Amino acid sequence: MSPDHNPARHDRDSVARAALALLDEVGLADLSMRRIAARLDVQPSALYWHFANKQELLAELADRITARIPVTDDDVLTTARSIRDALFAYRDGAELVLSTYALRLGSSHAQIALEASLGPQSTDRATALLHFILGHTTLAQLRMHAESHGAAAAAAAEEIDPTAGLDSVFDLGVVAIAGISASQPRDRA
């Protein structure tokens, strides 16, 4: 027997907020509808009043993660960094956004932000840049996660920072894909 719908108790927003909190605690691999329901003290079936399936919930989480990215005509490096920072704000944020992006779920807020920074007729470059940002940030988060669990390999007998040099590599990749020099202002024409 499924519980009666009680809209006063939980709504779409409270389910998504609970899911984001759990994402930070347990990571994407262990984020389940059952675990979210337990956090909210409801049966898993109660979540389906608000989300048709887990993919829809994950798309909502991806949208919430990327919603903080400003859509401005800032330079592309600033925009790329703001996308990366939004993905870093949540454990496995990059992997979550990457998986929903790959399935074409959710909004395309990050793509829109990149297109605004790159200027007219930039869809292909914005797409290539978004692919780079998602991949690079996923790699960095995986390395940080491995390091936090002691699973990262150490060079010689000393511990190393598994993300050392990733900022400069990130900037280099953005600049190369965007087709600008590191000090060149972007061409808005």
Side-chain angles (χ1 to χ4, degrees), residues 86-145:
L87 299 174
F88 277 150
Y90 292 93
R91 178 177 173 181
D92 298 336
E95 184 181 355
L96 174 77
V97 172
L98 176 62
S99 67
T100 59
Y101 178 79
L103 297 174
R104 297 181 181 182
L105 300 171
S107 71
S108 54
H109 188 76
Q111 173 91 18
I112 292 166
L114 287 169
E115 289 175 13
S117 290
L118 288 167
Q121 302 173 350
S122 61
T123 302
D124 289 344
R125 282 188 305 148
T127 300
L129 191 49
L130 184 57
H131 290 182
F132 169 76
I133 294 166
L134 289 169
H136 188 276
T137 309
T138 300
L139 172 74
Q141 280 190 320
L142 288 171
R143 285 183 180 177
M144 289 185 286
H145 186 66

Side-chain angles (χ1 to χ4, degrees), residues 3-144:
D4 291 332
H5 177 56
N6 182 354
R9 182 160 182 193
H10 294 292
D11 58 12
R12 187 176 174 92
D13 180 60
S14 67
V15 172
R17 281 186 288 114
L20 277 174
L22 271 170
L23 176 68
D24 263 345
E25 291 173 27
V26 302
L28 185 58
D30 291 326
L31 183 67
S32 67
M33 296 299 264
R34 185 174 306 280
R35 193 173 286 222
I36 296 165
R39 168 65 57 95
L40 295 170
D41 195 28
V42 298
Q43 293 296 314
S45 60
L47 301 178
Y48 297 102
W49 281 99
H50 308 293
F51 294 96
N53 52 50
K54 185 177 177 183
Q55 297 326 89
E56 184 180 313
L57 173 59
L58 293 179
E60 174 69 20
L61 300 184
D63 286 351
R64 286 171 182 247
I65 289 169
T66 60
R68 65 187 285 185
I69 301 164
V71 178
T72 66
D73 62 353
D74 284 344
D75 67 275
V76 69
L77 192 54
T78 299
T79 300
R81 288 174 180 160
S82 71
I83 294 169
R84 180 189 60 181
D85 292 347
L87 299 174
F88 277 150
Y90 292 93
R91 178 177 173 181
D92 298 336
E95 184 181 355
L96 174 77
V97 172
L98 176 62
S99 67
T100 59
Y101 178 79
L103 297 174
R104 297 181 181 182
L105 300 171
S107 71
S108 54
H109 188 76
Q111 173 91 18
I112 292 166
L114 287 169
E115 289 175 13
S117 290
L118 288 167
Q121 302 173 350
S122 61
T123 302
D124 289 344
R125 282 188 305 148
T127 300
L129 191 49
L130 184 57
H131 290 182
F132 169 76
I133 294 166
L134 289 169
H136 188 276
T137 309
T138 300
L139 172 74
Q141 280 190 320
L142 288 171
R143 285 183 180 177
M144 289 185 286

